[in-house]
Amino acid sequence: MDARFDRYAHPTHARDTYAFGVTDHGAQSFVCRGGRHVSAAGPVMVLDPDDPHDGRSAVRDGDRYRMLHLGEAHVRDAWGDAAPGAAGPPLFAAPVVDEPAPARAGARPHAAVAGNAPRPAGAPATAAAEAGFAGQAPLTRWFTHTYGITPAAYRTA
């Protein structure tokens, strides 16, 4: 997800995926795990599955950020590359971190999703399976719930 906000505030919500984010412009403020956090350029936002959080710009001229939502299997694979010997998926201690491991954990899948790494073309059901979904229908439901449009509409937008 690539978003820019100035006056909009996200209501409290949670996702069933990990979320890795970077702020490209400005700063954003959000409540998560009982405290208010601010993310500006530099640190990485990392939200565990089912972390309730909200979000709004922390600066007058708005913010721009990118978020990548990944299923547990993807994070487990990437985390193994970033931190050999780590047992299972990470449960991040804080939602804003300034350390390289979470950034490396999200870099490989982000490159694939963003189109910066070669990806074989395939049927939607194949893409859904590679993303960790049981089939195309669960992927479409999750994508539509998360982004408000279907994957096909997003692809042609």
Side-chain angles (χ1 to χ4, degrees):
M1 175 177 79
D2 188 347
R4 182 182 188 330
F5 296 105
D6 51 11
R7 293 184 189 100
Y8 179 78
H10 290 282
T12 300
H13 62 285
R15 298 208 186 334
D16 61 355
T17 60
Y18 283 93
F20 294 86
V22 293
T23 302
D24 295 319
H25 170 79
Q28 59 182 294
S29 172
F30 60 99
V31 172
C32 183
R33 300 184 201 165
R36 179 153 304 277
H37 306 274
V38 175
S39 173
V44 176
M45 291 175 284
V46 288
L47 300 173
D48 292 328
D50 301 318
D51 263 346
H53 61 283
D54 65 3
R56 64 186 41 82
S57 182
V59 295
R60 185 174 304 191
D61 65 339
D63 64 80
R64 182 167 188 257
Y65 66 94
R66 291 174 284 147
M67 294 294 289
L68 176 65
H69 301 276
L70 296 170
E72 184 177 321
H74 292 293
V75 174
R76 186 182 313 114
D77 291 346
W79 192 255
D81 291 347
L91 294 174
F92 297 102
V96 178
V97 296
D98 195 11
E99 58 185 75
R104 284 197 305 269
R108 184 180 63 179
H110 184 271
V113 170
N116 298 329
R119 289 188 68 167
T126 302
E130 289 174 358
F133 291 91
Q136 182 180 352
L139 168 64
T140 299
R141 279 192 300 275
W142 172 84
F143 195 96
T144 302
H145 173 76
T146 302
Y147 297 110
I149 60 174
T150 66
Y154 181 83
R155 184 177 61 236
T156 61

